[in-house]
Amino acid sequence: MTLRKILSHRYATKSYDRTKRIPECVFAELLEALRLSPSSVNCQPWHFIVADDEKGKARIGKSTEAAFRSNHTKIMDSSHTIVLCARTALPETFLETVLEQEQEDGRFPTEESRLMTHKVRSGFVKLHQQYGSVSAWSQKQLYIALGFLLLSAGFLKIDATPIEGFDEDLLNEELGLKEKNLTACVIVTLGYRDACDVNATLPKSRLSEEVLISRA
Ligand SMILES: Cc1cc2nc3c(=O)[nH]c(=O)nc-3n(C[C@H](O)[C@H](O)[C@H](O)COP(=O)(O)O)c2cc1C
């Protein structure tokens, strides 16, 4: 499939065929797309929570029961659902974990380059701590991972829906996220479109290139 075809074939799926399940080897590719997503200074300020059975989906679904019923059906009929969470704090211990991983992955030819990487990353984090914008910064990075996930799903012919229509406090409570310095930002349901999903047949609508793009 060409990139253009993937971009027009994918859409926000409104109704899933609950009898179809994503093969685990394909789902593993989607998790890898999340893991390999880029972030500012490689800080990876995120965590992803997967629900691949009825119990897990019901836990996530609770946050859509009262006010977002149509999203509840999507979660329960999906093959897999993922909650994309942003870190609300980036303590030194977390930054050291990132640094150790980079060391293990062979990113540092010299001790000097290791120290410099840590200094630059910590500098960015300190700035955001000063401005009280760590959470907002993490969320910006998280939406890059969302884009990677949606495009990868399209490439793998998996249907998906990004969902912001849920009760964030309720989901944070259900998954015990606050005490882990995490907050749920967006849910993504994944699976296969139902044959009668009307949204699949609607044409795409976007503002024109003239409105959206200009040149410096
Ligand atoms: C961050 C985000 C949150 C969204 N939240 C919901 C949602 O709660 N429920 C829903 O049905 N669609 C949701 N959508 C889908 C959008 O309405 C959809 O992507 C948009 O209308 C463009 O259509 P397309 O994705 O089919 O091309 C969301 C999309 C994004 C990117």
Side-chain angles (χ1 to χ4, degrees):
M1 239 198 315
T2 62
L3 178 61
R4 187 62 72 97
K5 274 205 175 128
I6 294 167
L7 293 174
S8 56
H9 179 78
R10 71 137 296 279
Y11 75 107
T13 305
K14 300 292 172 185
S15 175
Y16 287 90
D17 180 344
R18 60 174 302 136
T19 65
K20 290 191 184 154
R21 193 168 166 82
I22 303 170
E24 287 312 314
C25 59
V26 177
F27 186 69
E29 294 289 294
L30 294 175
L31 293 184
E32 199 57 358
L34 285 173
R35 204 177 68 85
L36 291 175
S37 298
S39 55
S40 177
V41 289
N42 200 26
C43 62
Q44 303 161 72
W46 47 48
H47 187 77
F48 308 108
I49 300 176
V50 174
D52 58 1
D53 61 12
E54 294 306 300
K55 192 168 151 250
K57 287 186 284 182
R59 285 187 75 192
I60 295 167
K62 272 187 204 168
S63 66
T64 53
E65 262 169 358
F68 306 98
R69 284 303 306 179
S70 64
N71 286 337
H72 187 261
T73 311
K74 292 181 197 105
I75 292 168
M76 295 315 295
D77 289 349
S78 70
S79 165
H80 295 63
T81 285
I82 306 178
V83 183
L84 278 64
C85 309
R87 293 200 176 272
T88 54
L90 295 169
E92 185 61 23
T93 46
F94 179 74
L95 299 184
E96 274 162 15
T97 304
V98 174
L99 194 70
E100 277 163 24
Q101 185 67 54
E102 288 171 335
Q103 170 96 320
E104 205 180 307
D105 292 333
R107 295 282 301 177
F108 306 125
T110 62
E111 173 64 4
E112 198 188 359
S113 64
R114 192 182 76 87
L115 292 175
M116 183 50 78
T117 298
H118 189 56
K119 194 175 161 198
V120 170
R121 185 156 44 231
S122 301
F124 268 91
V125 170
K126 274 196 195 101
L127 263 183
H128 284 289
Q129 283 165 344
Q130 273 167 22
Y131 291 128
S133 56
V134 170
S135 239
W137 187 49
S138 295
Q139 291 181 31
K140 283 186 198 170
Q141 314 307 317
L142 184 70
Y143 276 74
I144 298 172
L146 171 67
F148 265 53
L149 177 61
L150 294 180
L151 190 57
S152 303
F155 176 77
L156 294 167
K157 297 203 176 77
I158 302 297
D159 291 312
T161 320
I163 294 177
E164 278 183 329
F166 66 94
D167 184 326
E168 186 182 323
D169 292 339
L170 212 148
L171 190 54
N172 284 345
E173 179 72 27
E174 173 64 30
L175 299 175
L177 297 181
K178 205 175 164 194
E179 45 275 34
K180 293 176 190 152
N181 288 333
L182 293 169
T183 189
C185 293
V186 59
I187 297 171
V188 178
T189 49
L190 297 150
Y192 297 95
R193 61 187 71 176
D194 192 88
C196 57
D197 184 354
V198 282
N199 215 26
T201 56
L202 292 176
K204 265 215 186 301
S205 176
R206 296 292 192 267
L207 296 171
S208 69
E209 191 178 324
E210 291 72 45
V211 175
L212 295 179
I213 296 163
S214 55
R215 284 178 173 78

